[in-house]
mmCIF file of all heavy atoms in Angstrom:
data_model
loop_
_atom_site.group_PDB
_atom_site.id
_atom_site.type_symbol
_atom_site.label_atom_id
_atom_site.label_comp_id
_atom_site.label_asym_id
_atom_site.label_seq_id
_atom_site.Cartn_x
_atom_site.Cartn_y
_atom_site.Cartn_z
ATOM 1 N N TYR A 44 -17.476 54.420 63.412
ATOM 2 C CA TYR A 44 -16.206 55.157 63.418
ATOM 3 C C TYR A 44 -15.289 54.618 62.318
ATOM 4 O O TYR A 44 -14.662 55.374 61.568
ATOM 5 C CB TYR A 44 -15.547 54.999 64.788
ATOM 6 C CG TYR A 44 -14.292 55.816 65.004
ATOM 7 C CD1 TYR A 44 -14.344 57.031 65.681
ATOM 8 C CD2 TYR A 44 -13.046 55.376 64.562
ATOM 9 C CE1 TYR A 44 -13.198 57.781 65.909
ATOM 10 C CE2 TYR A 44 -11.900 56.116 64.783
ATOM 11 C CZ TYR A 44 -11.980 57.317 65.459
ATOM 12 O OH TYR A 44 -10.843 58.048 65.676
ATOM 13 N N PHE A 45 -15.240 53.298 62.210
ATOM 14 C CA PHE A 45 -14.378 52.686 61.211
ATOM 15 C C PHE A 45 -14.871 52.991 59.797
ATOM 16 O O PHE A 45 -14.081 53.249 58.888
ATOM 17 C CB PHE A 45 -14.313 51.176 61.433
ATOM 18 C CG PHE A 45 -13.303 50.487 60.572
ATOM 19 C CD1 PHE A 45 -11.951 50.681 60.772
ATOM 20 C CD2 PHE A 45 -13.702 49.651 59.545
ATOM 21 C CE1 PHE A 45 -11.003 50.046 59.982
ATOM 22 C CE2 PHE A 45 -12.768 49.012 58.745
ATOM 23 C CZ PHE A 45 -11.421 49.213 58.960
ATOM 24 N N ILE A 46 -16.181 52.979 59.617
ATOM 25 C CA ILE A 46 -16.749 53.335 58.312
ATOM 26 C C ILE A 46 -16.375 54.766 57.951
ATOM 27 O O ILE A 46 -16.067 55.080 56.792
ATOM 28 C CB ILE A 46 -18.281 53.151 58.318
ATOM 29 C CG1 ILE A 46 -18.630 51.655 58.301
ATOM 30 C CG2 ILE A 46 -18.930 53.856 57.133
ATOM 31 C CD1 ILE A 46 -20.094 51.375 58.520
ATOM 32 N N GLY A 47 -16.393 55.661 58.940
ATOM 33 C CA GLY A 47 -15.998 57.041 58.684
ATOM 34 C C GLY A 47 -14.563 57.144 58.205
ATOM 35 O O GLY A 47 -14.257 57.860 57.238
ATOM 36 N N ARG A 48 -13.649 56.420 58.857
ATOM 37 C CA ARG A 48 -12.249 56.430 58.446
ATOM 38 C C ARG A 48 -12.083 55.822 57.054
ATOM 39 O O ARG A 48 -11.363 56.354 56.207
ATOM 40 C CB ARG A 48 -11.403 55.651 59.449
ATOM 41 C CG ARG A 48 -11.263 56.328 60.816
ATOM 42 C CD ARG A 48 -10.422 55.460 61.758
ATOM 43 N NE ARG A 48 -9.158 55.109 61.124
ATOM 44 C CZ ARG A 48 -8.624 53.887 61.153
ATOM 45 N NH1 ARG A 48 -9.253 52.897 61.756
ATOM 46 N NH2 ARG A 48 -7.465 53.656 60.561
ATOM 47 N N LEU A 49 -12.736 54.679 56.846
ATOM 48 C CA LEU A 49 -12.626 53.998 55.557
ATOM 49 C C LEU A 49 -13.188 54.859 54.433
ATOM 50 O O LEU A 49 -12.595 54.959 53.344
ATOM 51 C CB LEU A 49 -13.360 52.656 55.626
ATOM 52 C CG LEU A 49 -13.452 51.838 54.331
ATOM 53 C CD1 LEU A 49 -12.061 51.477 53.824
ATOM 54 C CD2 LEU A 49 -14.291 50.582 54.556
ATOM 55 N N SER A 50 -14.324 55.500 54.677
ATOM 56 C CA SER A 50 -14.954 56.345 53.661
ATOM 57 C C SER A 50 -14.043 57.504 53.267
ATOM 58 O O SER A 50 -13.861 57.791 52.080
ATOM 59 C CB SER A 50 -16.286 56.893 54.186
ATOM 60 O OG SER A 50 -17.180 55.859 54.518
ATOM 61 N N SER A 51 -13.482 58.162 54.272
ATOM 62 C CA SER A 51 -12.592 59.290 53.990
ATOM 63 C C SER A 51 -11.361 58.835 53.221
ATOM 64 O O SER A 51 -10.909 59.500 52.284
ATOM 65 C CB SER A 51 -12.180 59.964 55.304
ATOM 66 O OG SER A 51 -13.305 60.475 55.979
ATOM 67 N N TYR A 52 -10.817 57.706 53.610
ATOM 68 C CA TYR A 52 -9.620 57.179 52.942
ATOM 69 C C TYR A 52 -9.892 56.851 51.476
ATOM 70 O O TYR A 52 -9.133 57.237 50.580
ATOM 71 C CB TYR A 52 -9.133 55.931 53.675
ATOM 72 C CG TYR A 52 -8.056 55.193 52.924
ATOM 73 C CD1 TYR A 52 -6.833 55.806 52.656
ATOM 74 C CD2 TYR A 52 -8.251 53.886 52.485
ATOM 75 C CE1 TYR A 52 -5.832 55.131 51.960
ATOM 76 C CE2 TYR A 52 -7.268 53.206 51.786
ATOM 77 C CZ TYR A 52 -6.053 53.831 51.527
ATOM 78 O OH TYR A 52 -5.081 53.176 50.839
ATOM 79 N N LEU A 53 -10.976 56.141 51.219
ATOM 80 C CA LEU A 53 -11.278 55.771 49.838
ATOM 81 C C LEU A 53 -11.546 57.001 48.988
ATOM 82 O O LEU A 53 -11.171 57.053 47.807
ATOM 83 C CB LEU A 53 -12.488 54.836 49.802
ATOM 84 C CG LEU A 53 -12.268 53.433 50.388
ATOM 85 C CD1 LEU A 53 -13.564 52.634 50.348
ATOM 86 C CD2 LEU A 53 -11.165 52.699 49.650
ATOM 87 N N GLY A 54 -12.200 57.991 49.589
ATOM 88 C CA GLY A 54 -12.474 59.210 48.839
ATOM 89 C C GLY A 54 -11.204 59.894 48.378
ATOM 90 O O GLY A 54 -11.096 60.353 47.232
ATOM 91 N N VAL A 55 -10.190 59.955 49.269
ATOM 92 C CA VAL A 55 -8.924 60.597 48.917
ATOM 93 C C VAL A 55 -8.089 59.698 48.015
ATOM 94 O O VAL A 55 -7.551 60.136 46.991
ATOM 95 C CB VAL A 55 -8.139 60.963 50.198
ATOM 96 C CG1 VAL A 55 -6.754 61.465 49.837
ATOM 97 C CG2 VAL A 55 -8.895 62.023 50.985
ATOM 98 N N ALA A 56 -7.979 58.427 48.386
ATOM 99 C CA ALA A 56 -7.111 57.514 47.639
ATOM 100 C C ALA A 56 -7.562 57.345 46.195
ATOM 101 O O ALA A 56 -6.736 57.215 45.290
ATOM 102 C CB ALA A 56 -7.068 56.161 48.339
ATOM 103 N N LEU A 57 -8.857 57.354 45.964
ATOM 104 C CA LEU A 57 -9.391 57.180 44.607
ATOM 105 C C LEU A 57 -9.771 58.503 43.969
ATOM 106 O O LEU A 57 -10.357 58.524 42.880
ATOM 107 C CB LEU A 57 -10.605 56.245 44.644
ATOM 108 C CG LEU A 57 -10.318 54.822 45.157
ATOM 109 C CD1 LEU A 57 -11.611 54.015 45.234
ATOM 110 C CD2 LEU A 57 -9.300 54.126 44.264
ATOM 111 N N GLN A 58 -9.475 59.604 44.689
ATOM 112 C CA GLN A 58 -9.778 60.951 44.180
ATOM 113 C C GLN A 58 -11.241 61.068 43.776
ATOM 114 O O GLN A 58 -11.598 61.536 42.708
ATOM 115 C CB GLN A 58 -8.861 61.287 42.998
ATOM 116 C CG GLN A 58 -7.385 61.333 43.386
ATOM 117 C CD GLN A 58 -6.492 61.701 42.223
ATOM 118 O OE1 GLN A 58 -6.733 61.308 41.092
ATOM 119 N NE2 GLN A 58 -5.451 62.477 42.509
ATOM 120 N N GLN A 59 -12.099 60.620 44.684
ATOM 121 C CA GLN A 59 -13.541 60.664 44.482
ATOM 122 C C GLN A 59 -14.183 61.305 45.703
ATOM 123 O O GLN A 59 -13.552 61.412 46.757
ATOM 124 C CB GLN A 59 -14.105 59.251 44.286
ATOM 125 C CG GLN A 59 -13.597 58.544 43.036
ATOM 126 C CD GLN A 59 -14.133 57.135 42.944
ATOM 127 O OE1 GLN A 59 -14.823 56.655 43.829
ATOM 128 N NE2 GLN A 59 -13.801 56.449 41.849
ATOM 129 N N PRO A 60 -15.447 61.726 45.596
ATOM 130 C CA PRO A 60 -16.141 62.252 46.769
ATOM 131 C C PRO A 60 -16.178 61.205 47.877
ATOM 132 O O PRO A 60 -16.034 60.008 47.627
ATOM 133 C CB PRO A 60 -17.549 62.559 46.250
ATOM 134 C CG PRO A 60 -17.383 62.720 44.781
ATOM 135 C CD PRO A 60 -16.281 61.790 44.379
ATOM 136 N N SER A 61 -16.384 61.653 49.100
ATOM 137 C CA SER A 61 -16.429 60.737 50.233
ATOM 138 C C SER A 61 -17.443 59.633 50.002
ATOM 139 O O SER A 61 -18.518 59.854 49.440
ATOM 140 C CB SER A 61 -16.798 61.499 51.514
ATOM 141 O OG SER A 61 -17.008 60.605 52.588
ATOM 142 N N CYS A 62 -17.086 58.433 50.442
ATOM 143 C CA CYS A 62 -17.953 57.263 50.259
ATOM 144 C C CYS A 62 -18.864 57.031 51.465
ATOM 145 O O CYS A 62 -19.438 55.959 51.609
ATOM 146 C CB CYS A 62 -17.107 56.018 50.031
ATOM 147 S SG CYS A 62 -16.003 56.118 48.623
ATOM 148 N N GLU A 63 -18.986 58.018 52.367
ATOM 149 C CA GLU A 63 -19.726 57.793 53.604
ATOM 150 C C GLU A 63 -21.140 57.294 53.350
ATOM 151 O O GLU A 63 -21.583 56.312 53.939
ATOM 152 C CB GLU A 63 -19.774 59.085 54.429
ATOM 153 C CG GLU A 63 -20.561 58.947 55.724
ATOM 154 C CD GLU A 63 -20.553 60.224 56.532
ATOM 155 O OE1 GLU A 63 -19.478 60.831 56.674
ATOM 156 O OE2 GLU A 63 -21.629 60.603 57.023
ATOM 157 N N ASP A 64 -21.866 57.961 52.447
ATOM 158 C CA ASP A 64 -23.238 57.542 52.180
ATOM 159 C C ASP A 64 -23.284 56.188 51.485
ATOM 160 O O ASP A 64 -24.248 55.431 51.641
ATOM 161 C CB ASP A 64 -23.960 58.592 51.327
ATOM 162 C CG ASP A 64 -24.264 59.858 52.124
ATOM 163 O OD1 ASP A 64 -24.351 59.758 53.364
ATOM 164 O OD2 ASP A 64 -24.404 60.929 51.521
ATOM 165 N N LEU A 65 -22.241 55.878 50.722
ATOM 166 C CA LEU A 65 -22.204 54.602 50.014
ATOM 167 C C LEU A 65 -22.184 53.431 50.979
ATOM 168 O O LEU A 65 -22.746 52.373 50.712
ATOM 169 C CB LEU A 65 -20.966 54.543 49.115
ATOM 170 C CG LEU A 65 -20.694 53.218 48.384
ATOM 171 C CD1 LEU A 65 -21.807 52.929 47.389
ATOM 172 C CD2 LEU A 65 -19.342 53.242 47.686
ATOM 173 N N ILE A 66 -21.549 53.605 52.153
ATOM 174 C CA ILE A 66 -21.385 52.500 53.095
ATOM 175 C C ILE A 66 -22.466 52.518 54.175
ATOM 176 O O ILE A 66 -22.386 51.796 55.159
ATOM 177 C CB ILE A 66 -19.972 52.535 53.716
ATOM 178 C CG1 ILE A 66 -18.912 52.759 52.635
ATOM 179 C CG2 ILE A 66 -19.640 51.238 54.427
ATOM 180 C CD1 ILE A 66 -17.492 52.788 53.144
ATOM 181 N N GLN A 67 -23.496 53.302 54.014
ATOM 182 C CA GLN A 67 -24.604 53.329 54.951
ATOM 183 C C GLN A 67 -25.732 52.431 54.462
ATOM 184 O O GLN A 67 -26.091 52.436 53.283
ATOM 185 C CB GLN A 67 -25.117 54.761 55.136
ATOM 186 C CG GLN A 67 -24.147 55.676 55.854
ATOM 187 C CD GLN A 67 -23.888 55.239 57.278
ATOM 188 O OE1 GLN A 67 -24.813 54.916 58.017
ATOM 189 N NE2 GLN A 67 -22.632 55.220 57.671
ATOM 190 N N LEU A 68 -26.307 51.662 55.369
ATOM 191 C CA LEU A 68 -27.370 50.731 55.015
ATOM 192 C C LEU A 68 -28.723 51.429 55.007
ATOM 193 O O LEU A 68 -28.938 52.428 55.697
ATOM 194 C CB LEU A 68 -27.403 49.572 56.011
ATOM 195 C CG LEU A 68 -26.112 48.762 56.133
ATOM 196 C CD1 LEU A 68 -26.300 47.639 57.147
ATOM 197 C CD2 LEU A 68 -25.700 48.200 54.782
ATOM 198 N N ASP A 69 -29.626 50.866 54.257
ATOM 199 C CA ASP A 69 -31.003 51.366 54.213
ATOM 200 C C ASP A 69 -31.765 50.765 55.387
ATOM 201 O O ASP A 69 -32.599 49.885 55.237
ATOM 202 C CB ASP A 69 -31.653 50.973 52.885
ATOM 203 C CG ASP A 69 -33.015 51.622 52.699
ATOM 204 O OD1 ASP A 69 -33.319 52.572 53.443
ATOM 205 O OD2 ASP A 69 -33.767 51.170 51.825
ATOM 206 N N SER A 70 -31.438 51.253 56.580
ATOM 207 C CA SER A 70 -32.011 50.711 57.808
ATOM 208 C C SER A 70 -33.253 51.482 58.209
ATOM 209 O O SER A 70 -33.508 52.588 57.736
ATOM 210 C CB SER A 70 -30.985 50.774 58.935
ATOM 211 O OG SER A 70 -30.656 52.129 59.214
ATOM 212 N N ALA A 71 -34.005 50.899 59.131
ATOM 213 C CA ALA A 71 -35.218 51.559 59.613
ATOM 214 C C ALA A 71 -34.893 52.885 60.291
ATOM 215 O O ALA A 71 -35.641 53.856 60.170
ATOM 216 C CB ALA A 71 -35.964 50.633 60.578
ATOM 217 N N SER A 72 -33.758 52.953 60.991
ATOM 218 C CA SER A 72 -33.411 54.173 61.714
ATOM 219 C C SER A 72 -33.049 55.323 60.777
ATOM 220 O O SER A 72 -33.095 56.481 61.168
ATOM 221 C CB SER A 72 -32.249 53.905 62.677
ATOM 222 O OG SER A 72 -31.106 53.471 61.972
ATOM 223 N N ARG A 73 -32.657 55.006 59.542
ATOM 224 C CA ARG A 73 -32.379 56.060 58.561
ATOM 225 C C ARG A 73 -33.616 56.414 57.754
ATOM 226 O O ARG A 73 -33.616 57.407 57.020
ATOM 227 C CB ARG A 73 -31.246 55.620 57.622
ATOM 228 C CG ARG A 73 -29.876 55.674 58.281
ATOM 229 C CD ARG A 73 -28.790 55.138 57.371
ATOM 230 N NE ARG A 73 -28.588 55.956 56.184
ATOM 231 C CZ ARG A 73 -27.801 57.033 56.132
ATOM 232 N NH1 ARG A 73 -27.172 57.424 57.217
ATOM 233 N NH2 ARG A 73 -27.640 57.698 55.009
ATOM 234 N N SER A 74 -34.668 55.606 57.872
ATOM 235 C CA SER A 74 -35.905 55.871 57.152
ATOM 236 C C SER A 74 -36.966 56.501 58.040
ATOM 237 O O SER A 74 -37.769 57.305 57.582
ATOM 238 C CB SER A 74 -36.459 54.561 56.567
ATOM 239 O OG SER A 74 -35.528 53.944 55.705
ATOM 240 N N PHE A 75 -36.958 56.121 59.320
ATOM 241 C CA PHE A 75 -37.982 56.596 60.257
ATOM 242 C C PHE A 75 -37.320 57.269 61.450
ATOM 243 O O PHE A 75 -36.229 56.884 61.867
ATOM 244 C CB PHE A 75 -38.845 55.432 60.749
ATOM 245 C CG PHE A 75 -39.418 54.596 59.646
ATOM 246 C CD1 PHE A 75 -39.219 53.226 59.624
ATOM 247 C CD2 PHE A 75 -40.161 55.167 58.628
ATOM 248 C CE1 PHE A 75 -39.745 52.441 58.618
ATOM 249 C CE2 PHE A 75 -40.693 54.396 57.614
ATOM 250 C CZ PHE A 75 -40.481 53.028 57.603
#
């Protein structure tokens, strides 16, 4: 939840696309 808020904030504050994927780890649950 906090990553979601932080990602949205950085995207707006820096006028860049959302950083949501940037803050996601390359975990087993995202691979399998």
Side-chain angles (χ1 to χ4, degrees):
Y44 186 98
F45 188 69
I46 287 171
R48 291 179 53 224
L49 175 61
S50 300
S51 298
Y52 170 62
L53 291 177
V55 173
L57 299 176
Q58 297 181 323
Q59 296 177 356
S61 173
C62 302
E63 179 178 315
D64 288 336
L65 175 65
I66 314 181
Q67 292 296 314
L68 302 181
D69 188 15
S70 63
S72 60
R73 285 176 65 85
S74 302
F75 308 126

